[in-house]
Amino acid sequence: MSTITRRPKPVNSKTPQPSETDIHAVIRKGLSGPVDDSTNIEEAQVKLRLPAALLRRVDAAVKAQTIKTPRHRWLIEAIVEKLGRESV
Amino acid sequence: MIVVAGGTKGGSGKTTIATNLAIMRAALGRDVLLIDADDQESASDFTVLRNERETVEAKYTIIKLTGVAVRTETQRLKSKYDDVVIDAGGRDTASQRAALTVADVLLVPFVPRSYDIWTLEKVTTLVREIRSINPSLRAYTFLNRADANGPDNDDAAEVLRESEELTFLDTAIGYRKAFGKAAAQGLAVTELKPLDEKAIHEMQALFRAVFSMKPASRATVTSRMQVESV
């Protein structure tokens, strides 16, 4: 084994880490998809009360998907579909 | 490893690259997650077709994600899989940006045509911006749907080599019907019968180039950041 090695390159441990706010700002500069409300700068929150049985049906539908999507996206897709049908 | 097939030009073969890499990786016994972050959802359609076949052996998990969720879900799921391949689509979308903030490798296929090559500047700007968030991102270009002959491949390669942000991989993939035939059956080109040796050889060369890459060292990343900040 050689006794001569290259001098280690200095590592700047003070390199600032971007904040989640910075990261989201960069992401939001990209175009949004048709069901992607999560990238809008203004994000509204709504408390949704559902009968437990209806939520179980939603979860069953989410679970039964051939291609999995999170429940959050499934609900957004359902809303967008209804808005599309009613041309709102 | 988290690999993104991306870019800002449609029709360059990103879904073909993403699905082939995912299947070839799974064929080695790796646990692979394919994320369809393209609004066109072609990778999902491909997978539905693939799952209808009973004979395919290489299996992978696929999910559809958009927007910031591509970042948050990839971060959450990456430890559960050996590899993550993301089809990010062909526009500068929030989904693609979110993918790149957590990716190890960006692969940008370029068809050797002027309209495609002209998007290099936008891709370069995007990569530069993403590296302010994810300095360890390694970005690569390569020719896809390359011509069988003529000067266009060399001319396009010459332009791609000039990029300082993206490294050109000399692993061109030709314009071959085998890729379309394989996709139509839910297969990777390596699974198609009869075999197209040239198509397989080209895809394997890209596969080796991508998955033999070592993670960027912290020193290298820091050095690049210091150079960029001068």
Side-chain angles (χ1 to χ4, degrees), chain B residues 157-212:
Chain B
E158 188 179 333
V159 174
L160 296 176
R161 280 194 187 94
E162 289 174 1
S163 173
E164 293 179 359
E165 296 290 338
L166 295 100
T167 304
F168 178 69
L169 292 176
D170 202 3
T171 53
I173 293 178
Y175 182 78
R176 303 185 188 284
K177 287 190 174 179
F179 289 102
K181 285 180 185 172
Q185 298 177 53
L187 299 174
V189 76
T190 49
E191 299 171 313
L192 184 69
K193 301 285 176 16
L195 297 175
D196 183 324
E197 297 286 356
K198 288 182 179 175
I200 293 171
H201 175 78
E202 290 169 353
M203 186 54 75
Q204 285 177 336
L206 178 68
F207 180 84
R208 282 193 299 272
V210 172
F211 289 104
S212 64

Tab-separated table of all heavy atoms in Angstrom, chain B residues 157-212:
chain	number	residue	atom	x	y	z
B	157	ALA	N	-24.142	16.019	-30.763
B	157	ALA	CA	-23.224	15.649	-29.677
B	157	ALA	C	-22.238	16.775	-29.384
B	157	ALA	O	-21.913	17.044	-28.220
B	157	ALA	CB	-22.475	14.370	-30.042
B	158	GLU	N	-21.800	17.429	-30.445
B	158	GLU	CA	-20.840	18.528	-30.261
B	158	GLU	C	-21.462	19.646	-29.423
B	158	GLU	O	-20.819	20.196	-28.525
B	158	GLU	CB	-20.425	19.062	-31.639
B	158	GLU	CG	-19.294	20.072	-31.578
B	158	GLU	CD	-18.889	20.556	-32.965
B	158	GLU	OE1	-19.082	19.809	-33.950
B	158	GLU	OE2	-18.389	21.690	-33.054
B	159	VAL	N	-22.724	19.961	-29.695
B	159	VAL	CA	-23.410	21.004	-28.918
B	159	VAL	C	-23.600	20.542	-27.472
B	159	VAL	O	-23.344	21.299	-26.527
B	159	VAL	CB	-24.789	21.335	-29.549
B	159	VAL	CG1	-25.559	22.314	-28.664
B	159	VAL	CG2	-24.604	21.902	-30.946
B	160	LEU	N	-24.005	19.303	-27.286
B	160	LEU	CA	-24.261	18.790	-25.932
B	160	LEU	C	-22.980	18.741	-25.101
B	160	LEU	O	-23.009	18.977	-23.890
B	160	LEU	CB	-24.909	17.402	-25.998
B	160	LEU	CG	-26.300	17.345	-26.637
B	160	LEU	CD1	-26.797	15.910	-26.735
B	160	LEU	CD2	-27.306	18.186	-25.854
B	161	ARG	N	-21.873	18.459	-25.759
B	161	ARG	CA	-20.588	18.402	-25.031
B	161	ARG	C	-20.172	19.763	-24.493
B	161	ARG	O	-19.380	19.850	-23.560
B	161	ARG	CB	-19.478	17.875	-25.955
B	161	ARG	CG	-19.468	16.377	-26.116
B	161	ARG	CD	-18.169	15.884	-26.735
B	161	ARG	NE	-18.258	14.458	-27.023
B	161	ARG	CZ	-18.629	13.941	-28.195
B	161	ARG	NH1	-18.929	14.758	-29.198
B	161	ARG	NH2	-18.708	12.640	-28.370
B	162	GLU	N	-20.686	20.830	-25.085
B	162	GLU	CA	-20.277	22.180	-24.673
B	162	GLU	C	-20.881	22.594	-23.330
B	162	GLU	O	-20.416	23.545	-22.716
B	162	GLU	CB	-20.690	23.198	-25.748
B	162	GLU	CG	-19.870	23.082	-27.028
B	162	GLU	CD	-20.389	23.990	-28.129
B	162	GLU	OE1	-21.380	24.717	-27.879
B	162	GLU	OE2	-19.816	23.952	-29.230
B	163	SER	N	-21.912	21.885	-22.892
B	163	SER	CA	-22.574	22.278	-21.648
B	163	SER	C	-21.636	22.096	-20.454
B	163	SER	O	-20.966	21.078	-20.317
B	163	SER	CB	-23.835	21.435	-21.428
B	163	SER	OG	-24.383	21.711	-20.154
B	164	GLU	N	-21.611	23.105	-19.591
B	164	GLU	CA	-20.784	23.011	-18.387
B	164	GLU	C	-21.558	22.411	-17.221
B	164	GLU	O	-20.972	21.970	-16.238
B	164	GLU	CB	-20.268	24.401	-18.009
B	164	GLU	CG	-19.285	24.959	-19.029
B	164	GLU	CD	-18.801	26.348	-18.674
B	164	GLU	OE1	-19.237	26.888	-17.648
B	164	GLU	OE2	-17.981	26.885	-19.447
B	165	GLU	N	-22.866	22.399	-17.324
B	165	GLU	CA	-23.692	21.886	-16.217
B	165	GLU	C	-24.052	20.412	-16.391
B	165	GLU	O	-24.266	19.706	-15.415
B	165	GLU	CB	-24.987	22.705	-16.095
B	165	GLU	CG	-24.790	24.155	-15.731
B	165	GLU	CD	-24.327	24.342	-14.299
B	165	GLU	OE1	-24.550	23.435	-13.481
B	165	GLU	OE2	-23.740	25.392	-14.000
B	166	LEU	N	-24.161	19.982	-17.647
B	166	LEU	CA	-24.570	18.605	-17.922
B	166	LEU	C	-23.458	17.886	-18.671
B	166	LEU	O	-22.902	18.412	-19.632
B	166	LEU	CB	-25.849	18.559	-18.758
B	166	LEU	CG	-27.106	19.112	-18.060
B	166	LEU	CD1	-27.394	20.527	-18.512
B	166	LEU	CD2	-28.313	18.223	-18.339
B	167	THR	N	-23.150	16.686	-18.226
B	167	THR	CA	-22.093	15.888	-18.853
B	167	THR	C	-22.689	15.022	-19.957
B	167	THR	O	-23.729	14.380	-19.751
B	167	THR	CB	-21.429	14.987	-17.794
B	167	THR	OG1	-20.959	15.817	-16.728
B	167	THR	CG2	-20.266	14.205	-18.387
B	168	PHE	N	-22.033	15.016	-21.091
B	168	PHE	CA	-22.522	14.218	-22.220
B	168	PHE	C	-22.065	12.772	-22.071
B	168	PHE	O	-20.878	12.497	-21.887
B	168	PHE	CB	-22.006	14.803	-23.533
B	168	PHE	CG	-22.425	14.026	-24.746
B	168	PHE	CD1	-23.748	14.013	-25.158
B	168	PHE	CD2	-21.496	13.295	-25.479
B	168	PHE	CE1	-24.148	13.295	-26.268
B	168	PHE	CE2	-21.882	12.577	-26.596
B	168	PHE	CZ	-23.220	12.578	-26.992
B	169	LEU	N	-23.025	11.846	-22.130
B	169	LEU	CA	-22.703	10.419	-22.108
B	169	LEU	C	-22.634	9.918	-23.547
B	169	LEU	O	-23.585	10.095	-24.311
B	169	LEU	CB	-23.789	9.634	-21.364
B	169	LEU	CG	-23.930	9.858	-19.859
B	169	LEU	CD1	-25.135	9.066	-19.337
B	169	LEU	CD2	-22.669	9.447	-19.128
B	170	ASP	N	-21.542	9.284	-23.874
B	170	ASP	CA	-21.367	8.806	-25.250
B	170	ASP	C	-21.996	7.417	-25.404
B	170	ASP	O	-21.339	6.455	-25.783
B	170	ASP	CB	-19.870	8.776	-25.594
B	170	ASP	CG	-19.653	8.826	-27.094
B	170	ASP	OD1	-20.644	8.945	-27.835
B	170	ASP	OD2	-18.486	8.752	-27.519
B	171	THR	N	-23.274	7.340	-25.042
B	171	THR	CA	-23.999	6.062	-25.107
B	171	THR	C	-25.292	6.292	-25.878
B	171	THR	O	-26.387	6.205	-25.319
B	171	THR	CB	-24.329	5.534	-23.698
B	171	THR	OG1	-25.015	6.574	-22.980
B	171	THR	CG2	-23.088	5.142	-22.943
B	172	ALA	N	-25.155	6.599	-27.154
B	172	ALA	CA	-26.332	6.926	-27.968
B	172	ALA	C	-27.246	5.712	-28.131
B	172	ALA	O	-26.786	4.574	-28.232
B	172	ALA	CB	-25.880	7.426	-29.330
B	173	ILE	N	-28.533	6.014	-28.140
B	173	ILE	CA	-29.528	4.972	-28.409
B	173	ILE	C	-30.181	5.303	-29.751
B	173	ILE	O	-30.667	6.421	-29.950
B	173	ILE	CB	-30.564	4.914	-27.272
B	173	ILE	CG1	-29.863	4.416	-25.998
B	173	ILE	CG2	-31.739	4.012	-27.648
B	173	ILE	CD1	-30.719	4.350	-24.786
B	174	GLY	N	-30.157	4.360	-30.636
B	174	GLY	CA	-30.629	4.603	-31.994
B	174	GLY	C	-32.145	4.610	-32.107
B	174	GLY	O	-32.865	4.170	-31.205
B	175	TYR	N	-32.607	5.139	-33.230
B	175	TYR	CA	-34.040	5.122	-33.519
B	175	TYR	C	-34.373	3.733	-34.036
B	175	TYR	O	-34.111	3.398	-35.186
B	175	TYR	CB	-34.376	6.190	-34.569
B	175	TYR	CG	-35.849	6.265	-34.876
B	175	TYR	CD1	-36.718	6.910	-33.999
B	175	TYR	CD2	-36.372	5.692	-36.025
B	175	TYR	CE1	-38.075	6.978	-34.263
B	175	TYR	CE2	-37.732	5.753	-36.297
B	175	TYR	CZ	-38.573	6.389	-35.417
B	175	TYR	OH	-39.916	6.443	-35.675
B	176	ARG	N	-34.907	2.902	-33.163
B	176	ARG	CA	-35.150	1.496	-33.510
B	176	ARG	C	-36.591	1.119	-33.184
B	176	ARG	O	-37.108	1.457	-32.120
B	176	ARG	CB	-34.195	0.586	-32.733
B	176	ARG	CG	-32.739	0.915	-32.976
B	176	ARG	CD	-31.805	-0.065	-32.305
B	176	ARG	NE	-30.429	0.403	-32.424
B	176	ARG	CZ	-29.711	0.323	-33.541
B	176	ARG	NH1	-30.243	-0.212	-34.619
B	176	ARG	NH2	-28.477	0.789	-33.585
B	177	LYS	N	-37.199	0.401	-34.093
B	177	LYS	CA	-38.594	0.004	-33.905
B	177	LYS	C	-38.759	-0.919	-32.701
B	177	LYS	O	-39.853	-1.025	-32.143
B	177	LYS	CB	-39.116	-0.684	-35.166
B	177	LYS	CG	-39.363	0.289	-36.305
B	177	LYS	CD	-40.095	-0.361	-37.452
B	177	LYS	CE	-40.439	0.678	-38.506
B	177	LYS	NZ	-41.146	0.091	-39.665
B	178	ALA	N	-37.689	-1.575	-32.302
B	178	ALA	CA	-37.772	-2.511	-31.175
B	178	ALA	C	-38.289	-1.822	-29.914
B	178	ALA	O	-39.027	-2.431	-29.130
B	178	ALA	CB	-36.402	-3.126	-30.910
B	179	PHE	N	-37.930	-0.560	-29.726
B	179	PHE	CA	-38.381	0.147	-28.520
B	179	PHE	C	-39.896	0.340	-28.537
B	179	PHE	O	-40.569	0.159	-27.527
B	179	PHE	CB	-37.651	1.488	-28.385
B	179	PHE	CG	-36.200	1.335	-28.016
B	179	PHE	CD1	-35.209	1.481	-28.974
B	179	PHE	CD2	-35.833	1.020	-26.724
B	179	PHE	CE1	-33.871	1.314	-28.643
B	179	PHE	CE2	-34.497	0.855	-26.382
B	179	PHE	CZ	-33.519	1.004	-27.344
B	180	GLY	N	-40.414	0.733	-29.705
B	180	GLY	CA	-41.858	0.900	-29.844
B	180	GLY	C	-42.597	-0.422	-29.706
B	180	GLY	O	-43.638	-0.498	-29.050
B	181	LYS	N	-42.051	-1.464	-30.310
B	181	LYS	CA	-42.679	-2.790	-30.225
B	181	LYS	C	-42.707	-3.286	-28.786
B	181	LYS	O	-43.704	-3.838	-28.312
B	181	LYS	CB	-41.905	-3.797	-31.084
B	181	LYS	CG	-42.130	-3.648	-32.579
B	181	LYS	CD	-41.318	-4.705	-33.306
B	181	LYS	CE	-41.399	-4.520	-34.813
B	181	LYS	NZ	-40.474	-5.412	-35.532
B	182	ALA	N	-41.601	-3.082	-28.096
B	182	ALA	CA	-41.520	-3.522	-26.699
B	182	ALA	C	-42.525	-2.758	-25.838
B	182	ALA	O	-43.258	-3.357	-25.037
B	182	ALA	CB	-40.095	-3.338	-26.167
B	183	ALA	N	-42.571	-1.432	-26.011
B	183	ALA	CA	-43.488	-0.599	-25.217
B	183	ALA	C	-44.932	-1.018	-25.457
B	183	ALA	O	-45.739	-1.064	-24.512
B	183	ALA	CB	-43.284	0.870	-25.577
B	184	ALA	N	-45.257	-1.336	-26.681
B	184	ALA	CA	-46.632	-1.721	-27.017
B	184	ALA	C	-47.043	-3.023	-26.342
B	184	ALA	O	-48.227	-3.334	-26.236
B	184	ALA	CB	-46.772	-1.847	-28.529
B	185	GLN	N	-46.065	-3.778	-25.865
B	185	GLN	CA	-46.352	-5.050	-25.187
B	185	GLN	C	-46.086	-4.993	-23.679
B	185	GLN	O	-46.134	-6.012	-22.995
B	185	GLN	CB	-45.493	-6.164	-25.803
B	185	GLN	CG	-45.774	-6.399	-27.281
B	185	GLN	CD	-44.847	-7.451	-27.866
B	185	GLN	OE1	-44.733	-8.547	-27.345
B	185	GLN	NE2	-44.163	-7.102	-28.940
B	186	GLY	N	-45.747	-3.800	-23.199
B	186	GLY	CA	-45.444	-3.673	-21.776
B	186	GLY	C	-44.114	-4.300	-21.396
B	186	GLY	O	-43.943	-4.801	-20.278
B	187	LEU	N	-43.178	-4.286	-22.321
B	187	LEU	CA	-41.885	-4.922	-22.090
B	187	LEU	C	-40.739	-3.929	-22.216
B	187	LEU	O	-40.861	-2.910	-22.903
B	187	LEU	CB	-41.659	-6.039	-23.125
B	187	LEU	CG	-42.653	-7.198	-23.134
B	187	LEU	CD1	-42.366	-8.110	-24.312
B	187	LEU	CD2	-42.603	-7.972	-21.819
B	188	ALA	N	-39.635	-4.259	-21.565
B	188	ALA	CA	-38.385	-3.562	-21.846
B	188	ALA	C	-37.814	-4.151	-23.134
B	188	ALA	O	-38.165	-5.276	-23.517
B	188	ALA	CB	-37.397	-3.763	-20.700
B	189	VAL	N	-36.955	-3.408	-23.775
B	189	VAL	CA	-36.399	-3.890	-25.041
B	189	VAL	C	-35.559	-5.160	-24.826
B	189	VAL	O	-35.425	-5.986	-25.729
B	189	VAL	CB	-35.583	-2.763	-25.726
B	189	VAL	CG1	-34.223	-2.563	-25.050
B	189	VAL	CG2	-35.422	-3.030	-27.211
B	190	THR	N	-35.076	-5.326	-23.605
B	190	THR	CA	-34.283	-6.524	-23.280
B	190	THR	C	-35.153	-7.779	-23.175
B	190	THR	O	-34.635	-8.895	-23.159
B	190	THR	CB	-33.554	-6.326	-21.948
B	190	THR	OG1	-34.504	-5.851	-20.981
B	190	THR	CG2	-32.422	-5.319	-22.074
B	191	GLU	N	-36.468	-7.569	-23.087
B	191	GLU	CA	-37.393	-8.702	-22.924
B	191	GLU	C	-38.092	-9.074	-24.233
B	191	GLU	O	-38.795	-10.075	-24.293
B	191	GLU	CB	-38.474	-8.354	-21.886
B	191	GLU	CG	-37.925	-8.043	-20.501
B	191	GLU	CD	-38.992	-7.487	-19.576
B	191	GLU	OE1	-39.737	-6.577	-20.006
B	191	GLU	OE2	-39.090	-7.940	-18.432
B	192	LEU	N	-37.942	-8.223	-25.244
B	192	LEU	CA	-38.670	-8.399	-26.497
B	192	LEU	C	-38.142	-9.599	-27.279
B	192	LEU	O	-36.937	-9.835	-27.346
B	192	LEU	CB	-38.510	-7.120	-27.340
B	192	LEU	CG	-39.272	-7.072	-28.658
B	192	LEU	CD1	-40.774	-6.992	-28.420
B	192	LEU	CD2	-38.807	-5.874	-29.501
B	193	LYS	N	-39.075	-10.349	-27.870
B	193	LYS	CA	-38.721	-11.458	-28.747
B	193	LYS	C	-39.315	-11.190	-30.134
B	193	LYS	O	-40.503	-10.822	-30.200
B	193	LYS	CB	-39.253	-12.779	-28.190
B	193	LYS	CG	-38.728	-13.129	-26.811
B	193	LYS	CD	-37.301	-13.601	-26.887
B	193	LYS	CE	-36.653	-13.888	-25.551
B	193	LYS	NZ	-37.325	-14.061	-24.353
B	194	PRO	N	-38.607	-11.381	-31.213
B	194	PRO	CA	-37.194	-11.750	-31.249
B	194	PRO	C	-36.305	-10.613	-30.748
B	194	PRO	O	-36.689	-9.451	-30.787
B	194	PRO	CB	-36.950	-12.025	-32.744
B	194	PRO	CG	-37.952	-11.169	-33.448
B	194	PRO	CD	-39.167	-11.162	-32.570
B	195	LEU	N	-35.146	-10.989	-30.279
B	195	LEU	CA	-34.210	-10.019	-29.715
B	195	LEU	C	-33.705	-9.045	-30.778
B	195	LEU	O	-33.469	-9.432	-31.919
B	195	LEU	CB	-33.006	-10.744	-29.110
B	195	LEU	CG	-33.261	-11.679	-27.925
B	195	LEU	CD1	-31.975	-12.388	-27.536
B	195	LEU	CD2	-33.817	-10.913	-26.738
B	196	ASP	N	-33.575	-7.790	-30.386
B	196	ASP	CA	-32.890	-6.814	-31.229
B	196	ASP	C	-31.560	-6.523	-30.528
B	196	ASP	O	-31.508	-5.729	-29.586
B	196	ASP	CB	-33.723	-5.534	-31.378
B	196	ASP	CG	-33.058	-4.523	-32.311
B	196	ASP	OD1	-31.814	-4.423	-32.303
B	196	ASP	OD2	-33.786	-3.823	-33.038
B	197	GLU	N	-30.529	-7.189	-30.987
B	197	GLU	CA	-29.231	-7.144	-30.297
B	197	GLU	C	-28.685	-5.723	-30.182
B	197	GLU	O	-28.127	-5.345	-29.148
B	197	GLU	CB	-28.208	-8.028	-31.026
B	197	GLU	CG	-28.573	-9.508	-31.055
B	197	GLU	CD	-28.363	-10.202	-29.712
B	197	GLU	OE1	-27.869	-9.546	-28.784
B	197	GLU	OE2	-28.718	-11.390	-29.595
B	198	LYS	N	-28.852	-4.941	-31.257
B	198	LYS	CA	-28.300	-3.580	-31.220
B	198	LYS	C	-29.033	-2.719	-30.196
B	198	LYS	O	-28.407	-1.967	-29.445
B	198	LYS	CB	-28.382	-2.947	-32.613
B	198	LYS	CG	-27.393	-3.535	-33.598
B	198	LYS	CD	-27.486	-2.846	-34.953
B	198	LYS	CE	-26.467	-3.440	-35.926
B	198	LYS	NZ	-26.602	-2.871	-37.278
B	199	ALA	N	-30.357	-2.841	-30.182
B	199	ALA	CA	-31.135	-2.048	-29.216
B	199	ALA	C	-30.772	-2.448	-27.784
B	199	ALA	O	-30.618	-1.591	-26.907
B	199	ALA	CB	-32.627	-2.258	-29.466
B	200	ILE	N	-30.643	-3.739	-27.546
B	200	ILE	CA	-30.285	-4.224	-26.206
B	200	ILE	C	-28.896	-3.727	-25.811
B	200	ILE	O	-28.686	-3.240	-24.695
B	200	ILE	CB	-30.329	-5.771	-26.164
B	200	ILE	CG1	-31.773	-6.250	-26.322
B	200	ILE	CG2	-29.735	-6.307	-24.865
B	200	ILE	CD1	-31.908	-7.747	-26.511
B	201	HIS	N	-27.967	-3.820	-26.741
B	201	HIS	CA	-26.591	-3.389	-26.467
B	201	HIS	C	-26.567	-1.895	-26.092
B	201	HIS	O	-25.893	-1.498	-25.131
B	201	HIS	CB	-25.728	-3.652	-27.701
B	201	HIS	CG	-24.326	-3.150	-27.569
B	201	HIS	ND1	-23.369	-3.815	-26.840
B	201	HIS	CD2	-23.730	-2.030	-28.051
B	201	HIS	CE1	-22.243	-3.125	-26.884
B	201	HIS	NE2	-22.430	-2.038	-27.617
B	202	GLU	N	-27.320	-1.100	-26.828
B	202	GLU	CA	-27.328	0.345	-26.552
B	202	GLU	C	-27.965	0.652	-25.200
B	202	GLU	O	-27.448	1.476	-24.436
B	202	GLU	CB	-28.079	1.068	-27.677
B	202	GLU	CG	-27.317	1.060	-28.991
B	202	GLU	CD	-28.151	1.525	-30.172
B	202	GLU	OE1	-29.377	1.738	-30.004
B	202	GLU	OE2	-27.589	1.646	-31.277
B	203	MET	N	-29.068	-0.021	-24.905
B	203	MET	CA	-29.735	0.242	-23.633
B	203	MET	C	-28.883	-0.246	-22.463
B	203	MET	O	-28.822	0.396	-21.404
B	203	MET	CB	-31.118	-0.425	-23.617
B	203	MET	CG	-31.956	-0.100	-22.386
B	203	MET	SD	-32.179	1.667	-22.051
B	203	MET	CE	-33.366	2.086	-23.311
B	204	GLN	N	-28.220	-1.366	-22.651
B	204	GLN	CA	-27.345	-1.878	-21.593
B	204	GLN	C	-26.166	-0.947	-21.343
B	204	GLN	O	-25.719	-0.790	-20.209
B	204	GLN	CB	-26.865	-3.285	-21.940
B	204	GLN	CG	-27.946	-4.343	-21.740
B	204	GLN	CD	-27.508	-5.739	-22.152
B	204	GLN	OE1	-26.607	-5.887	-22.967
B	204	GLN	NE2	-28.167	-6.747	-21.595
B	205	ALA	N	-25.662	-0.332	-22.398
B	205	ALA	CA	-24.546	0.608	-22.236
B	205	ALA	C	-24.986	1.807	-21.397
B	205	ALA	O	-24.256	2.258	-20.504
B	205	ALA	CB	-24.044	1.060	-23.607
B	206	LEU	N	-26.197	2.308	-21.674
B	206	LEU	CA	-26.719	3.421	-20.876
B	206	LEU	C	-26.937	2.972	-19.432
B	206	LEU	O	-26.581	3.687	-18.485
B	206	LEU	CB	-28.033	3.933	-21.477
B	206	LEU	CG	-28.700	5.063	-20.691
B	206	LEU	CD1	-27.864	6.345	-20.756
B	206	LEU	CD2	-30.113	5.338	-21.207
B	207	PHE	N	-27.512	1.797	-19.278
B	207	PHE	CA	-27.790	1.237	-17.951
B	207	PHE	C	-26.507	1.149	-17.120
B	207	PHE	O	-26.459	1.568	-15.958
B	207	PHE	CB	-28.412	-0.151	-18.127
B	207	PHE	CG	-28.753	-0.847	-16.846
B	207	PHE	CD1	-29.952	-0.607	-16.194
B	207	PHE	CD2	-27.873	-1.763	-16.290
B	207	PHE	CE1	-30.270	-1.263	-15.013
B	207	PHE	CE2	-28.183	-2.415	-15.112
B	207	PHE	CZ	-29.382	-2.169	-14.468
B	208	ARG	N	-25.460	0.609	-17.755
B	208	ARG	CA	-24.170	0.484	-17.037
B	208	ARG	C	-23.618	1.858	-16.681
B	208	ARG	O	-23.100	2.067	-15.585
B	208	ARG	CB	-23.158	-0.279	-17.894
B	208	ARG	CG	-23.367	-1.779	-17.903
B	208	ARG	CD	-22.144	-2.487	-18.494
B	208	ARG	NE	-21.894	-2.085	-19.875
B	208	ARG	CZ	-22.443	-2.663	-20.936
B	208	ARG	NH1	-23.276	-3.667	-20.785
B	208	ARG	NH2	-22.160	-2.248	-22.159
B	209	ALA	N	-23.734	2.794	-17.610
B	209	ALA	CA	-23.205	4.145	-17.361
B	209	ALA	C	-23.907	4.787	-16.171
B	209	ALA	O	-23.284	5.429	-15.331
B	209	ALA	CB	-23.367	5.010	-18.613
B	210	VAL	N	-25.215	4.586	-16.088
B	210	VAL	CA	-25.999	5.227	-15.022
B	210	VAL	C	-25.735	4.569	-13.671
B	210	VAL	O	-25.417	5.238	-12.689
B	210	VAL	CB	-27.513	5.152	-15.351
B	210	VAL	CG1	-28.340	5.638	-14.160
B	210	VAL	CG2	-27.821	5.969	-16.586
B	211	PHE	N	-25.818	3.258	-13.634
B	211	PHE	CA	-25.791	2.585	-12.328
B	211	PHE	C	-24.383	2.232	-11.847
B	211	PHE	O	-24.226	1.707	-10.748
B	211	PHE	CB	-26.698	1.371	-12.345
B	211	PHE	CG	-28.153	1.758	-12.382
B	211	PHE	CD1	-28.885	1.652	-13.552
B	211	PHE	CD2	-28.771	2.273	-11.250
B	211	PHE	CE1	-30.219	2.030	-13.585
B	211	PHE	CE2	-30.101	2.659	-11.278
B	211	PHE	CZ	-30.831	2.533	-12.453
B	212	SER	N	-23.380	2.522	-12.653
B	212	SER	CA	-22.015	2.356	-12.156
B	212	SER	C	-21.474	3.673	-11.612
B	212	SER	O	-20.354	3.733	-11.120
B	212	SER	CB	-21.095	1.860	-13.273
B	212	SER	OG	-21.009	2.832	-14.294
